[in-house]
Amino acid sequence: MARYGNLQIFLFILPATVLVGIFVYAFSAWNVSISLTDWRGLVTSIRFVGLENYLKLINDPIAQKALINTFLLAVTFIPLTMLIGLITAILLCLELKGTSIFRTIFLLPLSFSFVISATMWTWMFSPEQGTINSLLRLLHLDFLCQPWITSTEQSLWCILLVYIWQFSGYVTIIYYSGIRSIPQEHIEAAEIDGASRFNIYRHIIVPQLKGETIGVLTILLFYALRVFDLVYLLTGGGPALSSEVLATYMYRMTFNQNLFAYGASIGTVIFIIALAIMIPFLLLSRRR
Amino acid sequence: MDKGRIFAYLITIIACTLYLLPLYTMVNVSLKSPEDLIWGPVAPARRLYFNSYLQAWEKISEPFFNSIKMTVPATLISTFLGSISGLGFYRAKFKYKDLLLFLIVLGFYVPPQAVLIPLVKFLADIGLYSTIAGLVLTHVAYGMPITTLLFKNYYESIPKEILDSAEVDGASLTTLYRSILLPLSLPGFAVVSIFQFTNIWNEFLFALVLGRGRASQLVTVAIANLKGTTLAAWNVQMAGAVIGAIPVAIFYIFATKLVIKGLMAGAIKG
């Protein structure tokens, strides 16, 4: 039998346990306790105020707007990214000439940090000189020109577009490898039976991608729950708060307005939402 | 070639063009001279103008080196710690190890906003706020869930008999790690460290909150500061973005297979 006992195991798992224990769980608890006070920048006396911040939060119209926007982004981002990723994966599976180049191109947006994407897309969206409107004018399609991120109606959907652009490549490669691992005989048998390409995908290939779909969902949920960067960088939550999400609101309250306790209560709400979604999701997906 | 294939080519090429359009915009604008900028981002640069790169480099070189000084140790430490805790969880037999591992993996999904204020306070209290060391510690800590999980899954893909026979010979866990798993896991180390490097290099929120002041400003924040200010002309902003994108883009282009392995492993359930 092994010469090592639980002591050695204990030492090996100690760093991860201690670091995650402190930085994730102790800090989350600390954050909750901050949210129960009236701590704000530079004020030295801190009072316990109970649930006051949360009561304020429930009646805060900006927080409501931010919550709705966070939700809207998540429920559009996840299915659309999955759909586009699946379509591009199918395109790659056709084994066209240059597939490896196409794959790298689909994947490339994922390599850019949010800062780089935001820099690129600020130019894409700029109403006066931006690439999209310039191209539309060049093609004499001026009537399609839009105000993009400068409009209160479109800002959130512009951010959505950039998120999809950035992450669909992730979905592409996962579905691509999933489709390629499906036994060729299944597909050939259906072909002999005279099934159309579309039906082969619909009835034979896609149903076999359950594991991949769970993997894709895990990763897209991860990003959807922490939507911050592109909103902060592209619109700052504007114009007129039209694209504000919980995370940007939390940042603004905390670091611009120095309302630490109020910011902490928004952080706690984000924490609860994330765990309420992830714990059942992880448990259910493991059972398979 | 049948009609279906021509159609597929057409769709793929249109899709690729759309995917590349922002990249084209960035590179094209970065190569334009100030006079050339008025022709907009679509018209190709009339002659290649590299001066914008020099100007951008002047503004972001210090943060760029800060990013290297932060990302390299953070990557190495979190990969190493992940490799040992992954082994611990792989060989652990005690009662609550599944629950403990679940809690650690769950940490990966806790959004940073939930811990941001205590994190700032804590780092300030121990004197590491706005320092490279503080950023390294932060990235190591929040990297633990995923590196642990990636290594544990990687070890599980190694034939069990190799480890079991060593254990019968009475090897300690350290011996197991050093003389058996380490040499067998070099591809795993490559995958995890590339995964960590790209994530840490690109990370923005911690950099924004914890990297205030010259000595700890990172390249992502420096580029964000160039953007949308009158501080730098458009071509300079874009040149800065190109420079900041290069380290990670190199991995994506030249080590595509390793990158993809990391991405795939990252999407596999706990």
Side-chain angles (χ1 to χ4, degrees), chain A residues 213-226:
Chain A
T213 303
I214 290 171
V216 161
L217 259 177
T218 320
I219 213 72
L220 294 181
L221 274 172
F222 171 82
Y223 286 108
L225 290 172
R226 58 180 62 200

Side-chain angles (χ1 to χ4, degrees), chain A residues 1-4 6 8-9 11-13 15-17 19-20 22-25 27-28 30-31 34 39 84 87-88 91-92 94-98 102-116 118-124 129-132 134-135 138 164-165 168-170 172-174 177 214-216 218-219 221-223 225-229 232-234 247 250-251 254-255 259-261 263-264 267-268 270-271 274-275 278-279 282-283 285-286 288, chain B residues 5 8-9 11-13 15-16 18-23 25-26 29 37-38 40-42 81 84-85 87-89 91-94 98 100-123 125 137-138 140-142 144-145 148 167-174 176-177 195 199 202 204-205 208-209 212 220-221 223-224 227 234 237-238 240-242 244-245 248-249 252-253 256-257 259-260 262-264 266-270:
Chain A
M1 252 329 276
R3 191 182 291 162
Y4 62 84
N6 275 341
Q8 274 196 39
I9 295 275
L11 287 175
F12 270 61
I13 63 175
T17 309
L19 284 172
V20 175
I22 294 174
F23 280 77
V24 176
Y25 293 104
F27 282 7
S28 298
W30 187 359
N31 189 65
I34 291 172
W39 186 26
I84 290 169
I87 293 171
T88 45
L91 286 174
L92 289 182
L94 298 174
E95 309 279 339
L96 304 172
K97 270 202 192 84
F102 297 145
R103 191 186 59 179
T104 306
I105 290 174
F106 290 141
L107 202 54
L108 209 53
L110 196 61
S111 81
F112 303 128
S113 65
F114 288 120
V115 176
I116 313 269
T119 311
M120 291 177 189
W121 281 92
T122 304
W123 251 104
M124 294 286 288
Q129 294 179 291
T131 305
I132 302 178
S134 301
L135 270 178
L138 215 63
I164 295 174
W165 169 80
S168 57
Y170 206 144
T172 310
I173 56 146
I174 290 170
S177 85
I214 290 171
V216 161
T218 320
I219 213 72
L221 274 172
F222 171 82
Y223 286 108
L225 290 172
R226 58 180 62 200
V227 161
F228 168 80
D229 310 67
Y232 178 84
L233 288 158
L234 277 169
M250 182 271 171
Y251 181 89
T254 309
F255 296 103
L259 300 172
F260 296 131
T268 305
I270 297 174
F271 177 77
L275 291 197
M278 285 321 293
I279 292 176
L282 289 175
L283 291 176
S285 67
R286 275 170 163 216
R288 288 173 184 279
Chain B
R5 271 187 107 63
Y9 267 110
I11 300 281
T12 311
I13 288 166
C16 285
L18 293 177
Y19 271 73
L20 287 176
L21 205 55
L23 184 62
T25 302
M26 173 174 77
V29 171
L37 279 176
I38 50 161
V42 181
L81 289 181
I84 64 163
S85 55
L87 175 59
F89 279 107
R91 300 312 276 182
K93 294 172 193 85
F94 61 92
D98 286 334
L100 186 59
L101 182 62
F102 180 78
L103 287 175
I104 288 179
V105 172
L106 191 62
F108 184 57
Y109 298 97
V110 171
Q113 287 78 23
V115 293
L116 208 50
I117 297 168
L119 178 66
V120 171
K121 182 82 173 67
F122 173 77
L123 290 178
D125 287 350
L137 176 64
T138 303
V140 168
Y142 293 111
M144 286 323 296
T148 301
E167 283 194 354
V168 171
D169 294 343
S172 72
L173 208 53
T174 319
L176 226 54
Y177 177 77
F195 185 83
N199 284 343
N202 282 347
F204 179 64
L205 180 59
L208 179 68
V209 175
R212 307 215 158 169
T220 43
V221 175
I223 294 167
K227 174 185 165 301
W234 276 106
Q237 296 180 27
M238 292 294 169
V242 173
V248 170
Y252 269 70
I253 293 166
T256 316
K257 285 217 173 97
V259 169
I260 289 180
L263 293 173
M264 307 258 297
I268 300 304
K269 61 200 185 321

